[in-house]
mmCIF file of all heavy atoms in Angstrom:
data_model
loop_
_atom_site.group_PDB
_atom_site.id
_atom_site.type_symbol
_atom_site.label_atom_id
_atom_site.label_comp_id
_atom_site.label_asym_id
_atom_site.label_seq_id
_atom_site.Cartn_x
_atom_site.Cartn_y
_atom_site.Cartn_z
ATOM 1 N N TYR A 571 71.891 69.656 46.021
ATOM 2 C CA TYR A 571 72.186 70.905 45.386
ATOM 3 C C TYR A 571 72.530 70.695 43.897
ATOM 4 O O TYR A 571 72.145 71.540 43.073
ATOM 5 C CB TYR A 571 73.349 71.606 46.119
ATOM 6 C CG TYR A 571 73.650 72.976 45.707
ATOM 7 C CD1 TYR A 571 72.906 74.104 46.264
ATOM 8 C CD2 TYR A 571 74.488 73.294 44.704
ATOM 9 C CE1 TYR A 571 73.149 75.373 45.860
ATOM 10 C CE2 TYR A 571 74.735 74.599 44.244
ATOM 11 C CZ TYR A 571 74.001 75.661 44.860
ATOM 12 O OH TYR A 571 74.239 76.942 44.389
ATOM 13 N N LEU A 572 73.281 69.666 43.608
ATOM 14 C CA LEU A 572 73.612 69.347 42.294
ATOM 15 C C LEU A 572 72.355 69.187 41.395
ATOM 16 O O LEU A 572 72.317 69.754 40.242
ATOM 17 C CB LEU A 572 74.451 68.017 42.200
ATOM 18 C CG LEU A 572 74.601 67.413 40.819
ATOM 19 C CD1 LEU A 572 75.403 68.294 39.910
ATOM 20 C CD2 LEU A 572 75.267 65.985 40.955
ATOM 21 N N ASP A 573 71.357 68.470 41.812
ATOM 22 C CA ASP A 573 70.153 68.307 41.091
ATOM 23 C C ASP A 573 69.441 69.581 40.774
ATOM 24 O O ASP A 573 68.984 69.846 39.642
ATOM 25 C CB ASP A 573 69.230 67.354 41.847
ATOM 26 C CG ASP A 573 69.676 65.960 41.900
ATOM 27 O OD1 ASP A 573 70.593 65.600 41.089
ATOM 28 O OD2 ASP A 573 69.209 65.164 42.809
ATOM 29 N N GLU A 574 69.463 70.471 41.773
ATOM 30 C CA GLU A 574 68.746 71.776 41.589
ATOM 31 C C GLU A 574 69.580 72.628 40.620
ATOM 32 O O GLU A 574 69.017 73.310 39.734
ATOM 33 C CB GLU A 574 68.570 72.468 42.879
ATOM 34 C CG GLU A 574 67.662 71.741 43.848
ATOM 35 C CD GLU A 574 67.668 72.364 45.237
ATOM 36 O OE1 GLU A 574 68.388 73.350 45.469
ATOM 37 O OE2 GLU A 574 66.880 71.926 46.098
ATOM 38 N N PHE A 575 70.916 72.683 40.757
ATOM 39 C CA PHE A 575 71.764 73.457 39.904
ATOM 40 C C PHE A 575 71.685 73.020 38.485
ATOM 41 O O PHE A 575 71.558 73.864 37.526
ATOM 42 C CB PHE A 575 73.194 73.407 40.443
ATOM 43 C CG PHE A 575 74.180 74.256 39.670
ATOM 44 C CD1 PHE A 575 74.462 75.527 40.076
ATOM 45 C CD2 PHE A 575 74.908 73.763 38.589
ATOM 46 C CE1 PHE A 575 75.343 76.304 39.401
ATOM 47 C CE2 PHE A 575 75.792 74.525 37.898
ATOM 48 C CZ PHE A 575 75.992 75.820 38.336
ATOM 49 N N LEU A 576 71.764 71.714 38.262
ATOM 50 C CA LEU A 576 71.793 71.206 36.872
ATOM 51 C C LEU A 576 70.454 71.432 36.167
ATOM 52 O O LEU A 576 70.428 71.800 35.015
ATOM 53 C CB LEU A 576 72.120 69.736 36.884
ATOM 54 C CG LEU A 576 72.292 69.032 35.563
ATOM 55 C CD1 LEU A 576 73.357 69.803 34.687
ATOM 56 C CD2 LEU A 576 72.722 67.622 35.715
ATOM 57 N N GLU A 577 69.364 71.307 36.929
ATOM 58 C CA GLU A 577 68.009 71.599 36.304
ATOM 59 C C GLU A 577 67.967 73.048 35.845
ATOM 60 O O GLU A 577 67.486 73.275 34.736
ATOM 61 C CB GLU A 577 66.902 71.334 37.365
ATOM 62 C CG GLU A 577 66.650 69.908 37.693
ATOM 63 C CD GLU A 577 65.810 69.252 36.631
ATOM 64 O OE1 GLU A 577 65.403 69.919 35.641
ATOM 65 O OE2 GLU A 577 65.594 68.027 36.706
ATOM 66 N N ARG A 578 68.463 73.964 36.621
ATOM 67 C CA ARG A 578 68.422 75.416 36.243
ATOM 68 C C ARG A 578 69.283 75.614 34.986
ATOM 69 O O ARG A 578 68.915 76.331 34.081
ATOM 70 C CB ARG A 578 68.914 76.321 37.357
ATOM 71 C CG ARG A 578 68.011 76.369 38.548
ATOM 72 C CD ARG A 578 68.374 77.557 39.449
ATOM 73 N NE ARG A 578 69.740 77.444 39.906
ATOM 74 C CZ ARG A 578 70.110 76.902 41.052
ATOM 75 N NH1 ARG A 578 69.211 76.302 41.808
ATOM 76 N NH2 ARG A 578 71.410 76.916 41.411
ATOM 77 N N GLU A 579 70.471 75.026 34.990
ATOM 78 C CA GLU A 579 71.419 75.265 33.857
ATOM 79 C C GLU A 579 70.902 74.627 32.600
ATOM 80 O O GLU A 579 71.125 75.106 31.478
ATOM 81 C CB GLU A 579 72.787 74.728 34.277
ATOM 82 C CG GLU A 579 73.519 75.556 35.277
ATOM 83 C CD GLU A 579 73.621 77.030 34.837
ATOM 84 O OE1 GLU A 579 73.897 77.304 33.658
ATOM 85 O OE2 GLU A 579 73.461 77.849 35.758
ATOM 86 N N VAL A 580 70.209 73.477 32.681
ATOM 87 C CA VAL A 580 69.628 72.802 31.486
ATOM 88 C C VAL A 580 68.560 73.739 30.890
ATOM 89 O O VAL A 580 68.489 73.935 29.649
ATOM 90 C CB VAL A 580 69.089 71.438 31.823
ATOM 91 C CG1 VAL A 580 68.250 70.923 30.669
ATOM 92 C CG2 VAL A 580 70.212 70.471 32.070
ATOM 93 N N VAL A 581 67.708 74.312 31.767
ATOM 94 C CA VAL A 581 66.661 75.235 31.286
ATOM 95 C C VAL A 581 67.265 76.427 30.635
ATOM 96 O O VAL A 581 66.829 76.881 29.553
ATOM 97 C CB VAL A 581 65.731 75.637 32.471
ATOM 98 C CG1 VAL A 581 64.828 76.801 32.001
ATOM 99 C CG2 VAL A 581 64.940 74.468 32.978
ATOM 100 N N ARG A 582 68.326 77.063 31.209
ATOM 101 C CA ARG A 582 68.972 78.136 30.589
ATOM 102 C C ARG A 582 69.646 77.800 29.316
ATOM 103 O O ARG A 582 69.605 78.578 28.332
ATOM 104 C CB ARG A 582 70.029 78.695 31.607
ATOM 105 C CG ARG A 582 70.559 80.086 31.252
ATOM 106 C CD ARG A 582 71.440 80.620 32.321
ATOM 107 N NE ARG A 582 72.653 79.889 32.434
ATOM 108 C CZ ARG A 582 73.828 80.187 31.773
ATOM 109 N NH1 ARG A 582 73.785 81.198 30.941
ATOM 110 N NH2 ARG A 582 74.872 79.514 31.961
ATOM 111 N N SER A 583 70.305 76.661 29.211
ATOM 112 C CA SER A 583 70.929 76.219 27.972
ATOM 113 C C SER A 583 69.914 76.083 26.858
ATOM 114 O O SER A 583 70.167 76.507 25.735
ATOM 115 C CB SER A 583 71.646 74.877 28.247
ATOM 116 O OG SER A 583 72.151 74.291 27.034
ATOM 117 N N GLN A 584 68.739 75.467 27.198
ATOM 118 C CA GLN A 584 67.716 75.244 26.143
ATOM 119 C C GLN A 584 67.077 76.595 25.737
ATOM 120 O O GLN A 584 66.867 76.801 24.529
ATOM 121 C CB GLN A 584 66.624 74.349 26.744
ATOM 122 C CG GLN A 584 67.046 72.964 27.154
ATOM 123 C CD GLN A 584 67.267 72.055 25.948
ATOM 124 O OE1 GLN A 584 66.293 71.928 25.147
ATOM 125 N NE2 GLN A 584 68.384 71.432 25.851
ATOM 126 N N ARG A 585 66.902 77.420 26.682
ATOM 127 C CA ARG A 585 66.230 78.730 26.380
ATOM 128 C C ARG A 585 67.082 79.639 25.505
ATOM 129 O O ARG A 585 66.634 80.270 24.580
ATOM 130 C CB ARG A 585 65.842 79.458 27.667
ATOM 131 C CG ARG A 585 65.182 80.811 27.438
ATOM 132 C CD ARG A 585 64.842 81.404 28.807
ATOM 133 N NE ARG A 585 63.888 80.593 29.513
ATOM 134 C CZ ARG A 585 63.834 80.518 30.878
ATOM 135 N NH1 ARG A 585 64.593 81.306 31.593
ATOM 136 N NH2 ARG A 585 62.968 79.718 31.447
ATOM 137 N N HIS A 586 68.411 79.636 25.799
ATOM 138 C CA HIS A 586 69.286 80.594 25.105
ATOM 139 C C HIS A 586 70.184 79.903 24.087
ATOM 140 O O HIS A 586 71.070 80.557 23.519
ATOM 141 C CB HIS A 586 70.101 81.384 26.080
ATOM 142 C CG HIS A 586 69.292 82.134 27.103
ATOM 143 N ND1 HIS A 586 68.541 83.264 26.787
ATOM 144 C CD2 HIS A 586 69.046 81.943 28.378
ATOM 145 C CE1 HIS A 586 67.922 83.705 27.813
ATOM 146 N NE2 HIS A 586 68.258 82.926 28.856
ATOM 147 N N HIS A 587 70.026 78.548 23.880
ATOM 148 C CA HIS A 587 70.852 77.785 23.029
ATOM 149 C C HIS A 587 72.348 77.973 23.337
ATOM 150 O O HIS A 587 73.161 78.381 22.444
ATOM 151 C CB HIS A 587 70.611 78.149 21.541
ATOM 152 C CG HIS A 587 69.166 77.908 21.125
ATOM 153 N ND1 HIS A 587 68.591 76.668 21.079
ATOM 154 C CD2 HIS A 587 68.158 78.754 20.940
ATOM 155 C CE1 HIS A 587 67.347 76.721 20.693
ATOM 156 N NE2 HIS A 587 67.036 78.028 20.603
ATOM 157 N N ARG A 588 72.698 77.769 24.591
ATOM 158 C CA ARG A 588 74.097 77.913 25.069
ATOM 159 C C ARG A 588 74.664 76.550 25.424
ATOM 160 O O ARG A 588 73.925 75.653 25.795
ATOM 161 C CB ARG A 588 74.086 78.890 26.266
ATOM 162 C CG ARG A 588 73.509 80.279 26.011
ATOM 163 C CD ARG A 588 74.222 80.985 24.920
ATOM 164 N NE ARG A 588 75.670 81.141 25.207
ATOM 165 C CZ ARG A 588 76.588 81.376 24.352
ATOM 166 N NH1 ARG A 588 76.244 81.652 23.039
ATOM 167 N NH2 ARG A 588 77.850 81.589 24.668
ATOM 168 N N PRO A 589 75.969 76.418 25.272
ATOM 169 C CA PRO A 589 76.579 75.107 25.568
ATOM 170 C C PRO A 589 76.584 74.821 27.092
ATOM 171 O O PRO A 589 76.648 75.700 27.946
ATOM 172 C CB PRO A 589 78.002 75.291 25.054
ATOM 173 C CG PRO A 589 78.281 76.707 25.131
ATOM 174 C CD PRO A 589 76.966 77.390 24.831
ATOM 175 N N LEU A 590 76.578 73.558 27.425
ATOM 176 C CA LEU A 590 76.622 73.063 28.784
ATOM 177 C C LEU A 590 77.190 71.669 28.811
ATOM 178 O O LEU A 590 76.912 70.791 27.913
ATOM 179 C CB LEU A 590 75.177 72.989 29.382
ATOM 180 C CG LEU A 590 75.055 72.378 30.764
ATOM 181 C CD1 LEU A 590 75.660 73.308 31.770
ATOM 182 C CD2 LEU A 590 73.525 72.170 31.101
ATOM 183 N N SER A 591 78.157 71.392 29.658
ATOM 184 C CA SER A 591 78.855 70.134 29.752
ATOM 185 C C SER A 591 78.775 69.595 31.169
ATOM 186 O O SER A 591 78.724 70.270 32.163
ATOM 187 C CB SER A 591 80.316 70.243 29.333
ATOM 188 O OG SER A 591 80.351 70.593 27.954
ATOM 189 N N VAL A 592 78.785 68.217 31.237
ATOM 190 C CA VAL A 592 78.699 67.550 32.517
ATOM 191 C C VAL A 592 79.767 66.476 32.535
ATOM 192 O O VAL A 592 79.947 65.693 31.631
ATOM 193 C CB VAL A 592 77.363 66.864 32.754
ATOM 194 C CG1 VAL A 592 77.298 66.057 34.018
ATOM 195 C CG2 VAL A 592 76.211 67.874 32.744
ATOM 196 N N LEU A 593 80.599 66.428 33.652
ATOM 197 C CA LEU A 593 81.590 65.434 33.841
ATOM 198 C C LEU A 593 81.204 64.524 34.998
ATOM 199 O O LEU A 593 80.820 64.965 36.073
ATOM 200 C CB LEU A 593 82.954 66.080 34.257
ATOM 201 C CG LEU A 593 83.479 67.204 33.338
ATOM 202 C CD1 LEU A 593 84.815 67.669 33.901
ATOM 203 C CD2 LEU A 593 83.589 66.769 31.928
ATOM 204 N N ALA A 594 81.239 63.212 34.820
ATOM 205 C CA ALA A 594 81.030 62.253 35.820
ATOM 206 C C ALA A 594 82.414 61.610 36.215
ATOM 207 O O ALA A 594 83.129 61.143 35.324
ATOM 208 C CB ALA A 594 80.120 61.126 35.403
ATOM 209 N N LEU A 595 82.803 61.776 37.475
ATOM 210 C CA LEU A 595 84.158 61.362 37.915
ATOM 211 C C LEU A 595 84.029 60.175 38.983
ATOM 212 O O LEU A 595 83.083 60.204 39.770
ATOM 213 C CB LEU A 595 84.878 62.472 38.604
ATOM 214 C CG LEU A 595 85.264 63.704 37.752
ATOM 215 C CD1 LEU A 595 84.103 64.622 37.432
ATOM 216 C CD2 LEU A 595 86.379 64.500 38.545
ATOM 217 N N ASP A 596 84.961 59.264 38.879
ATOM 218 C CA ASP A 596 84.959 58.161 39.856
ATOM 219 C C ASP A 596 86.403 57.745 40.202
ATOM 220 O O ASP A 596 87.253 57.718 39.278
ATOM 221 C CB ASP A 596 84.185 56.999 39.240
ATOM 222 C CG ASP A 596 84.002 55.846 40.280
ATOM 223 O OD1 ASP A 596 84.928 55.000 40.353
ATOM 224 O OD2 ASP A 596 83.032 55.837 40.942
ATOM 225 N N ILE A 597 86.693 57.476 41.449
ATOM 226 C CA ILE A 597 88.024 57.091 41.806
ATOM 227 C C ILE A 597 88.291 55.642 41.389
ATOM 228 O O ILE A 597 87.444 54.736 41.625
ATOM 229 C CB ILE A 597 88.190 57.169 43.346
ATOM 230 C CG1 ILE A 597 88.004 58.603 43.797
ATOM 231 C CG2 ILE A 597 89.622 56.699 43.804
ATOM 232 C CD1 ILE A 597 88.084 58.801 45.348
ATOM 233 N N ASP A 598 89.388 55.433 40.734
ATOM 234 C CA ASP A 598 89.730 54.048 40.315
ATOM 235 C C ASP A 598 90.154 53.202 41.491
ATOM 236 O O ASP A 598 90.997 53.583 42.309
ATOM 237 C CB ASP A 598 90.896 54.063 39.264
ATOM 238 C CG ASP A 598 90.537 54.840 38.020
ATOM 239 O OD1 ASP A 598 89.295 54.803 37.663
ATOM 240 O OD2 ASP A 598 91.384 55.479 37.405
ATOM 241 N N LYS A 599 89.535 52.018 41.542
ATOM 242 C CA LYS A 599 89.909 50.973 42.587
ATOM 243 C C LYS A 599 89.820 51.535 44.030
ATOM 244 O O LYS A 599 90.676 51.264 44.859
ATOM 245 C CB LYS A 599 91.283 50.418 42.315
ATOM 246 C CG LYS A 599 91.384 49.711 41.002
ATOM 247 C CD LYS A 599 92.745 49.103 40.770
ATOM 248 C CE LYS A 599 92.832 48.385 39.358
ATOM 249 N NZ LYS A 599 94.199 47.801 39.163
ATOM 250 N N PHE A 600 88.793 52.298 44.274
ATOM 251 C CA PHE A 600 88.653 52.927 45.614
ATOM 252 C C PHE A 600 88.393 51.852 46.682
ATOM 253 O O PHE A 600 88.840 51.941 47.827
ATOM 254 C CB PHE A 600 87.493 53.942 45.614
ATOM 255 C CG PHE A 600 87.318 54.670 46.901
ATOM 256 C CD1 PHE A 600 88.286 55.483 47.390
ATOM 257 C CD2 PHE A 600 86.190 54.457 47.688
ATOM 258 C CE1 PHE A 600 88.101 56.177 48.602
ATOM 259 C CE2 PHE A 600 85.991 55.153 48.879
ATOM 260 C CZ PHE A 600 86.984 55.987 49.348
#
Side-chain angles (χ1 to χ4, degrees):
Y571 188 87
L572 166 65
D573 290 342
E574 295 174 355
F575 183 91
L576 186 55
E577 286 284 356
R578 291 196 303 269
E579 289 303 320
V580 167
V581 170
R582 192 171 70 88
S583 171
Q584 298 282 309
R585 179 179 299 154
H586 302 290
H587 301 291
R588 302 301 301 165
L590 177 68
S591 296
V592 176
L593 311 181
L595 295 74
D596 186 273
I597 301 175
D598 296 329
K599 299 182 178 180
F600 182 68

